[in-house]
Amino acid sequence: EIFQQVGMKRVRSKGVLLTGFLLMLLRSKLKGHVTPITPSEPARRGCQLSLILDRPVKTMFTALGLVGVVCDMREPDVIRLAPCPLYNSFAEVTSPASHH
């Protein structure tokens, strides 16, 4: 129902902007600590970002969860973040980049 109200084109447009914004924040604030493995080009990715960490993935996964960030981990060193354009705001996606 919500997709019909908003429309897939608008959802995709916000998703591209939201994910791009998160990727830019992570690259600037956590430079040298994370390596994106998701394609940088918006046309080659969805809303999920996969990141290789330079620290123990379980520690970062737990720390992010404690501040309300819902994410996924893949051992040994990958965190996956997927901001949802239907309900995540640009302000909310600053959280993962702020907790390092």
Side-chain angles (χ1 to χ4, degrees):
E1 184 178 315
I2 189 80
F3 282 109
Q4 292 173 347
Q5 292 175 0
V6 176
M8 195 58 183
K9 188 174 180 177
R10 287 179 60 199
V11 171
R12 174 67 179 148
S13 178
K14 184 179 177 189
V16 166
L17 294 172
L18 200 60
T19 306
F21 180 62
L22 176 57
L23 186 56
M24 186 255 336
L25 287 173
L26 292 167
R27 284 184 170 152
S28 67
K29 292 187 175 212
L30 301 176
K31 192 174 188 171
H33 298 289
V34 297
T35 303
I37 55 176
T38 302
S40 296
E41 304 84 13
R44 294 186 55 219
R45 69 166 189 260
C47 290
Q48 178 183 293
L49 295 176
S50 294
L51 310 160
I52 296 175
L53 305 178
D54 72 343
R55 57 195 66 194
V57 71
K58 285 184 182 180
T59 303
M60 187 57 108
F61 177 77
T62 300
L64 288 169
L66 290 173
V67 295
V69 175
V70 177
C71 59
D72 183 66
M73 69 172 204
R74 292 289 185 256
E75 292 191 88
D77 58 2
V78 174
I79 286 281
R80 299 188 312 174
L81 299 166
C84 179
L86 283 176
Y87 56 85
N88 287 126
S89 69
F90 286 89
E92 288 173 320
V93 301
T94 62
S95 187
S98 299
H99 294 88
H100 55 285

